[in-house]
Amino acid sequence: QVQLVESGGGLVQAGGSLRLSCAASGRTFSRSAVGWFRQAPGKEREFVAAINWSGRDTDYANSVKGRFAISRDNAKNAVYLQMNSLKQEDTAVYYCAASRSQGYFATSYAIYYDYWGQGTQVTVSS
Protein backbone atom coordinates (compact mmCIF):
# COMPACT_ATOMS: atom_id res chain seq x y z
CA GLN A 1 0.00 0.00 0.00
CA VAL A 2 1.21 3.49 -0.82
CA GLN A 3 -0.09 6.71 0.69
CA LEU A 4 0.52 10.00 -1.08
CA VAL A 5 0.50 13.52 0.32
CA GLU A 6 0.80 16.57 -1.90
CA SER A 7 2.14 19.91 -0.72
CA GLY A 8 3.45 23.18 -2.10
CA GLY A 9 0.28 24.61 -3.54
CA GLY A 10 -0.82 28.16 -2.94
CA LEU A 11 -1.65 31.50 -4.45
CA VAL A 12 0.77 32.95 -7.00
CA GLN A 13 0.65 35.72 -9.57
CA ALA A 14 0.67 34.93 -13.26
CA GLY A 15 4.22 34.43 -14.44
CA GLY A 16 5.32 33.13 -11.07
CA SER A 17 6.52 29.70 -9.98
CA LEU A 18 5.56 26.99 -7.54
CA ARG A 19 7.08 23.63 -6.68
CA LEU A 20 4.71 20.87 -5.75
CA SER A 21 5.85 17.86 -3.78
CA CYS A 22 4.35 14.41 -3.53
CA ALA A 23 5.56 12.53 -0.47
CA ALA A 24 4.95 8.81 -0.36
CA SER A 25 4.90 6.17 2.31
CA GLY A 26 5.44 2.57 1.37
CA ARG A 27 8.57 0.73 0.36
CA THR A 28 7.36 0.04 -3.18
CA PHE A 29 7.10 3.67 -4.22
CA SER A 30 10.54 3.69 -5.78
CA ARG A 31 9.28 1.15 -8.34
CA SER A 32 6.12 3.10 -9.18
CA ALA A 33 5.40 5.38 -12.08
CA VAL A 34 4.00 8.65 -10.79
CA GLY A 35 1.70 11.10 -12.48
CA TRP A 36 0.43 14.57 -11.74
CA PHE A 37 -3.14 15.40 -12.68
CA ARG A 38 -5.26 18.46 -12.10
CA GLN A 39 -8.91 19.36 -11.93
CA ALA A 40 -10.30 22.86 -12.28
CA PRO A 41 -13.80 23.79 -11.10
CA GLY A 42 -16.42 22.53 -13.51
CA LYS A 43 -13.87 20.67 -15.61
CA GLU A 44 -12.77 17.09 -15.89
CA ARG A 45 -9.53 15.87 -14.38
CA GLU A 46 -6.66 16.17 -16.85
CA PHE A 47 -3.16 14.82 -17.14
CA VAL A 48 -0.27 17.16 -16.40
CA ALA A 49 2.98 15.19 -16.20
CA ALA A 50 4.34 11.73 -15.47
CA ILE A 51 7.62 10.05 -14.64
CA ASN A 52 8.69 6.42 -14.68
CA TRP A 53 10.30 4.59 -11.78
CA SER A 54 13.86 5.56 -12.68
CA GLY A 55 13.17 9.12 -13.71
CA ARG A 56 14.55 8.54 -17.20
CA ASP A 57 11.16 8.63 -18.92
CA THR A 58 8.87 11.62 -18.59
CA ASP A 59 5.73 12.84 -20.34
CA TYR A 60 3.93 16.16 -20.32
CA ALA A 61 0.63 17.57 -21.45
CA ASN A 62 1.08 19.94 -24.37
CA SER A 63 -0.32 22.77 -22.30
CA VAL A 64 2.57 22.61 -19.80
CA LYS A 65 5.51 21.56 -21.97
CA GLY A 66 8.42 23.91 -21.54
CA ARG A 67 6.96 25.38 -18.35
CA PHE A 68 6.63 22.42 -15.96
CA ALA A 69 9.25 19.85 -14.99
CA ILE A 70 8.68 16.59 -13.14
CA SER A 71 11.44 14.90 -11.15
CA ARG A 72 11.83 12.35 -8.40
CA ASP A 73 14.11 11.42 -5.54
CA ASN A 74 13.59 7.77 -4.73
CA ALA A 75 15.86 7.98 -1.71
CA LYS A 76 13.38 10.46 -0.23
CA ASN A 77 10.26 8.74 -1.59
CA ALA A 78 9.25 11.96 -3.28
CA VAL A 79 8.23 13.32 -6.65
CA TYR A 80 8.25 16.99 -7.54
CA LEU A 81 6.53 19.22 -10.05
CA GLN A 82 8.31 22.47 -10.76
CA MET A 83 5.84 24.89 -12.31
CA ASN A 84 7.18 28.04 -13.98
CA SER A 85 5.56 30.80 -16.01
CA LEU A 86 2.23 30.00 -14.41
CA LYS A 87 -0.94 31.10 -16.13
CA GLN A 88 -4.44 31.64 -14.81
CA GLU A 89 -5.56 28.53 -16.66
CA ASP A 90 -3.21 26.48 -14.47
CA THR A 91 -5.51 27.14 -11.53
CA ALA A 92 -6.75 23.78 -10.26
CA VAL A 93 -6.42 21.16 -7.58
CA TYR A 94 -3.31 19.14 -8.34
CA TYR A 95 -3.15 15.44 -7.53
CA CYS A 96 -0.28 13.01 -7.61
CA ALA A 97 -0.88 9.36 -8.36
CA ALA A 98 1.30 6.24 -8.26
CA SER A 99 1.12 2.87 -9.93
CA ARG A 100 1.03 -0.36 -7.97
CA SER A 101 2.94 -2.24 -10.63
CA GLN A 102 6.49 -1.60 -11.77
CA GLY A 103 6.41 1.72 -13.54
CA TYR A 104 8.57 1.17 -16.60
CA PHE A 105 6.93 3.99 -18.51
CA ALA A 106 5.59 7.45 -17.82
CA THR A 107 1.94 7.32 -18.81
CA SER A 108 -0.81 9.89 -19.12
CA TYR A 109 -3.66 7.43 -18.55
CA ALA A 110 -5.30 7.91 -15.15
CA ILE A 111 -6.53 4.31 -15.13
CA TYR A 112 -2.91 3.17 -14.89
CA TYR A 113 -2.53 4.65 -11.42
CA ASP A 114 -3.76 2.88 -8.29
CA TYR A 115 -2.98 5.31 -5.48
CA TRP A 116 -4.04 8.95 -5.33
CA GLY A 117 -3.35 11.81 -2.97
CA GLN A 118 -5.88 14.27 -1.59
CA GLY A 119 -4.69 17.12 -3.76
CA THR A 120 -3.24 20.58 -3.27
CA GLN A 121 -4.82 23.79 -4.51
CA VAL A 122 -2.93 25.99 -6.96
CA THR A 123 -4.43 29.40 -7.68
CA VAL A 124 -2.88 31.73 -10.24
CA SER A 125 -4.05 35.32 -10.12
CA SER A 126 -3.82 37.91 -12.86
Side-chain angles (χ1 to χ4, degrees):
Q1 190 77 6
V2 173
Q3 292 185 323
L4 306 173
V5 178
E6 303 94 337
S7 62
L11 175 63
V12 63
Q13 284 192 324
S17 298
L18 282 174
R19 188 193 194 207
L20 304 185
S21 297
C22 175
S25 64
R27 56 189 176 90
T28 62
F29 181 74
S30 62
R31 299 190 288 110
S32 300
V34 175
W36 284 97
F37 294 79
R38 66 187 181 187
Q39 188 166 20
K43 294 188 176 181
E44 293 187 353
R45 180 178 58 191
E46 64 174 359
F47 167 73
V48 176
I51 191 166
N52 78 330
W53 75 275
S54 69
R56 294 193 180 98
D57 184 34
T58 59
D59 192 20
Y60 296 92
N62 288 335
S63 60
V64 307
K65 277 182 183 176
R67 300 189 297 123
F68 290 12
I70 189 170
S71 62
R72 69 188 299 160
D73 186 338
N74 284 340
K76 295 183 178 179
N77 265 10
V79 170
Y80 308 100
L81 185 67
Q82 178 67 43
M83 306 187 297
N84 300 324
S85 302
L86 283 161
K87 305 175 181 179
Q88 281 188 279
E89 50 263 44
D90 294 319
T91 295
V93 177
Y94 283 70
Y95 301 90
C96 68
S99 66
R100 182 188 301 121
S101 59
Q102 177 82 33
Y104 291 109
F105 304 105
T107 180
S108 63
Y109 295 104
I111 196 171
Y112 183 72
Y113 298 99
D114 303 285
Y115 308 108
W116 292 80
Q118 295 300 307
T120 185
Q121 176 71 47
V122 171
T123 303
V124 184
S125 63
S126 60

